[in-house]
Amino acid sequence: DRAAEAYEESLPLAATDSLRSVIWGLIGDTWHQKAVGGRDDWDERIDLGIEKPDATFRKYMKRSYAAYERSLRYNADNVMALNNYAYFLTIEGRNLERALTLASHATALENDNPTYLDTHAWVLFKLGRLDEARKMLQRAVALDAQNSPALLVHYGDVLQALGEHFMAEVYWKRALEKGYAQELVEPRLKRAREAREAARKTPNTQ
């Protein structure tokens, strides 16, 4: 709360709309941190349906989204605000078309940033546009020198949805090696193994 207040107190000192946009973007990030409350992997848990957003989480995220809107009114090309706003909307499954507009604009501004490509692909995935999501994540993985575990997990999820269970497992295991939470990867690996086993048991009628 105090961090958000301190940022707001700095606004009258901001000499340009660009700087005001940056500050409002930081306020949006701060309210997201408040919503998460220091809980490990909370966004991922909500995305997977392991946890449900409670009233407190929604209250703080409402303030986060309002701050991002103000940020973008000052500078519609604030790429970090575009990306974060889009990603948090997608995690909640809220207003995906708005999230797609935001993410598309971010990648149009910076089409070689793996984080922004990942967000854009994740919105497409949530909208069921799997082939587009796959192509975008392929590019993100190729560009990502850090081997982000979250990006690898997302790519695995898209491959799994496309029926490529073995390759999905490959990327999930790579994410584990990079430090992704085992308790969040193991259920995915279990589903992939079950899907491959079911496919083996299904007679080929062609």
Side-chain angles (χ1 to χ4, degrees), residues 29-86:
D29 294 344
T30 302
W31 283 116
H32 169 256
Q33 290 296 325
K34 180 74 173 176
V36 171
R39 293 169 288 193
D40 290 339
D41 305 309
W42 194 251
D43 288 326
E44 170 75 349
R45 291 173 178 277
I46 289 174
D47 198 21
L48 289 173
I50 297 172
E51 302 283 355
K52 299 295 183 185
D54 57 21
T56 300
F57 180 89
R58 291 191 183 281
K59 177 179 75 172
Y60 291 132
M61 287 310 299
K62 183 177 180 180
R63 298 189 71 166
S64 177
Y65 298 145
Y68 289 134
E69 287 287 354
R70 294 193 71 167
S71 172
L72 295 173
R73 283 201 293 272
Y74 281 113
N75 177 13
D77 293 338
N78 182 336
V79 70
M80 188 172 291
L82 288 164
N83 177 77
N84 293 357
Y85 190 6

Side-chain angles (χ1 to χ4, degrees), residues 74-201:
Y74 281 113
N75 177 13
D77 293 338
N78 182 336
V79 70
M80 188 172 291
L82 288 164
N83 177 77
N84 293 357
Y85 190 6
Y87 188 67
F88 298 145
L89 284 173
T90 306
I91 291 297
E92 281 200 84
R94 180 193 295 259
N95 201 351
L96 292 179
E97 291 298 336
R98 172 65 170 153
L100 181 60
T101 298
L102 296 164
S104 299
H105 190 36
T107 53
L109 292 167
E110 292 191 23
N111 67 0
D112 59 353
N113 185 306
T115 298
Y116 302 158
L117 290 168
D118 178 37
T119 296
H120 192 170
W122 203 235
V123 184
L124 291 168
F125 173 70
K126 292 292 185 175
L127 288 168
R129 294 163 59 173
L130 301 181
D131 289 329
E132 293 171 83
R134 177 183 182 171
K135 289 176 183 177
M136 193 159 290
L137 278 168
Q138 281 178 328
R139 177 170 168 75
V141 169
L143 288 168
D144 183 26
Q146 303 302 316
N147 283 323
S148 162
L151 199 162
L152 296 171
V153 165
H154 284 169
Y155 192 32
D157 288 350
V158 172
L159 292 172
Q160 165 78 355
L162 287 166
E164 298 183 31
H165 310 301
F166 175 77
M167 289 307 299
E169 290 182 68
V170 168
Y171 281 96
W172 290 332
K173 288 175 181 177
R174 281 178 58 187
L176 270 178
E177 293 168 1
K178 295 295 179 181
Y180 207 77
Q182 185 167 353
E183 65 177 315
L184 298 178
V185 174
E186 282 301 331
R188 289 172 156 103
L189 292 170
K190 183 173 182 287
R191 287 197 304 271
R193 288 192 294 267
E194 290 171 349
R196 286 196 287 122
E197 184 64 25
R200 280 196 296 266
K201 291 178 179 179

